[in-house]
Amino acid sequence: MCRVCKRIFAIGIIALLGTFATLVGAQANKERVLFNFRNGDGNSTYPSQLTLDKAGNLYGTTAYGGDFCCGCYSGCGTVFKLAPDGSMNVLYYFECDYYGGSGCYPYGGVVQDPATGYLYGTTAGGGAVYRGTVFRLAPDGTEHVMHLFEGSDGADPETRLLRDGNGGLFGTTYSGGDYYYYGTVFKIMQDGSGFAVLHSFDGADGDEPRAHLKNDDAGNLYGVTTLGGTHDYGTVYEVMSDGTEMVLYSFSGGADGTYPIGGLAEDDFGNLYGTTYYGGSTNCTSGCGVIFRLSPNGNFKVLYAFKGGHDGATPSAGLLKGRDGVFYGTTYEGGNGNGTVFAIAPDGYKTNIYRFLGSPDGAHPSSRLVEDRHRYLYGTTDQGGTYGEGTIFAVRE
């Protein structure tokens, strides 16, 4: 598990309750709890980033819990579907036996092929030598392991996969590769063929690439590493379509930010936007984190430094570019002490949309938001809610 990011993980189990009509908190006109996770019902918690289909169904994974014991450690995780009427259906329970089985601990969530309904994801554990897997889940609930990581080809993927228009899936492993420890960028086809390591990090060019990838029209991939680079505080990198890797920026650990965890977003001009977990403002012990912009010519700018307190602190999720051209994200801490949902314009004007209260509405969101055509934002929290085990929520922009 990521050395820097262990603190953001919560462990527990799911229960089926809550509806899309539930309004909570003092800001009830903005936030709705769609589902409350509960420990002890044979399902799971630590919910991932969500995937939204055209019918309004939300899909995701939970890293722990389920019907099967993973070495008697809180279960192996699940894939779930939350319908617009509030009904929850667990589509698959992972049943890792440490060295085999279907994998375990699916941190990254799933992506869907809308033409077939197949869901694709990764597990951080399980497989041939407990290095993780890439899996496919059919609409009828049949799971197929597409790739078993062995270490030299990567290890411990916590990433959400990226689909291109040609049947390719791209992801990262935060460990493994040619240098054993620093991680990889990989590609595999949706039919399970053609697995290839596109790049192995060596520390100098990045370490622990656990955020989702972003691509451009030319097939180039962009991402961040939590550690590594010139100062060992993380990097922004590009892997070109021919496999060449380039460090676009190395964080210094000061005003420019420290430890980027979430993935990147892009505007219409090719500028990349992201967040760092620490750094920036001196109001927090190690800085409260920043929002940054990196232009195609390499110009780096801190758009906003979080101030802590009501303003928010420690953003662990990447940004989402909304339909209105504004970027949306979350902070893990700050607000009322339980995290926030915020919006930031490309010019750096930032405002909070919602501050979580904790027990009624959720606490500590750590996954990227998704948006529907009505401009509602959907996300998950690691903690809080009715049972303290996290929520699925919707917030109006």
Side-chain angles (χ1 to χ4, degrees):
M1 186 180 294
C2 169
R3 299 194 302 271
V4 174
C5 313
K6 284 182 180 178
R7 60 176 297 184
I8 72 171
F9 295 153
I11 301 173
I13 306 219
I14 288 180
L16 307 181
L17 75 118
T19 71
F20 279 20
T22 303
L23 298 177
V24 296
Q27 305 162 94
N29 61 316
K30 285 188 175 181
E31 199 254 12
R32 296 181 294 165
V33 173
L34 311 182
F35 189 79
N36 284 283
F37 293 90
R38 180 166 65 185
N39 187 358
D41 275 28
N43 297 311
S44 44
T45 57
Y46 183 55
S48 69
Q49 177 182 331
L50 301 169
T51 291
L52 179 68
D53 70 14
K54 291 182 179 179
N57 299 297
L58 293 167
Y59 299 86
T61 60
T62 56
Y64 298 98
D67 281 355
F68 298 96
C69 178
C70 263
C72 297
Y73 184 68
S74 301
C76 305
T78 71
V79 180
F80 66 81
K81 172 184 174 181
L82 184 66
D85 65 2
S87 59
M88 171 67 79
N89 182 22
V90 177
L91 303 178
Y92 188 75
Y93 296 93
F94 289 91
E95 48 183 309
C96 165
D97 59 4
Y98 278 96
Y99 299 100
S102 58
C104 57
Y105 313 140
Y107 287 105
V110 291
V111 294
Q112 185 183 51
D113 181 347
T116 64
Y118 281 95
L119 300 172
Y120 299 87
T122 61
T123 66
V129 290
Y130 203 65
R131 297 296 189 180
T133 71
V134 181
F135 69 87
R136 178 178 67 224
L137 189 66
D140 65 1
T142 302
E143 192 249 13
H144 172 67
V145 175
M146 300 166 59
H147 183 75
L148 302 168
F149 289 96
E150 297 182 354
S152 61
D153 59 349
D156 314 312
E158 293 185 356
T159 184
R160 173 185 170 85
L161 295 172
L162 169 71
R163 287 183 64 246
D164 68 10
N166 302 308
L169 298 167
F170 301 85
T172 62
T173 66
Y174 81 78
S175 186
D178 289 345
Y179 303 94
Y180 180 71
Y181 191 74
Y182 300 106
T184 69
V185 178
F186 67 85
K187 176 182 179 180
I188 188 171
M189 300 304 292
Q190 288 184 190
D191 63 4
S193 67
F195 178 89
V197 174
L198 303 181
H199 181 71
S200 286
F201 292 92
D202 63 12
D205 63 352
D207 177 9
E208 292 193 0
R210 58 177 301 271
H212 66 267
L213 293 167
K214 172 175 190 347
N215 61 349
D216 63 19
D217 293 339
N220 302 306
L221 301 169
Y222 301 88
V224 298
T225 63
T226 303
L227 301 174
T230 304
H231 308 285
D232 201 26
Y233 290 113
T235 70
V236 180
Y237 66 87
E238 175 185 4
V239 176
M240 302 177 193
S241 55
D242 64 1
T244 303
E245 191 260 4
M246 178 184 302
V247 175
L248 303 180
Y249 189 78
S250 284
F251 291 90
S252 70
D256 63 340
T258 303
Y259 307 141
I261 299 174
L264 300 168
E266 185 179 14
D267 67 15
D268 295 337
F269 305 100
N271 298 301
L272 298 172
Y273 296 75
T275 61
T276 68
Y277 196 68
Y278 291 129
S281 171
T282 58
N283 290 355
C284 304
T285 302
S286 302
C288 304
V290 307
I291 302 169
F292 65 85
R293 181 177 66 209
L294 183 64
S295 69
N297 64 8
N299 181 40
F300 179 92
K301 180 178 181 179
V302 173
L303 289 182
Y304 191 82
F306 289 94
K307 301 175 179 63
H310 276 34
D311 182 55
T314 58
S316 63
L319 298 173
L320 167 73
K321 182 188 174 188
R323 294 168 180 261
D324 56 2
V326 173
F327 294 90
Y328 297 91
T330 61
T331 63
Y332 193 73
E333 299 172 313
N336 293 312
N338 301 294
T340 70
V341 179
F342 65 83
I344 184 165
D347 64 2
Y349 178 76
K350 178 258 183 190
T351 184
N352 278 341
I353 295 174
Y354 190 77
R355 296 184 178 100
F356 290 92
L357 301 175
S359 59
D361 58 351
H364 307 309
S366 66
S367 296
R368 190 172 65 154
L369 301 166
V370 296
E371 180 189 34
D372 70 10
R373 59 190 177 89
H374 302 295
R375 294 181 58 188
Y376 278 94
L377 302 170
Y378 299 89
T380 61
T381 65
D382 289 354
Q383 299 173 35
T386 303
Y387 305 103
E389 299 292 338
T391 66
I392 299 174
F393 65 88
V395 176
R396 179 69 172 173
E397 292 178 11

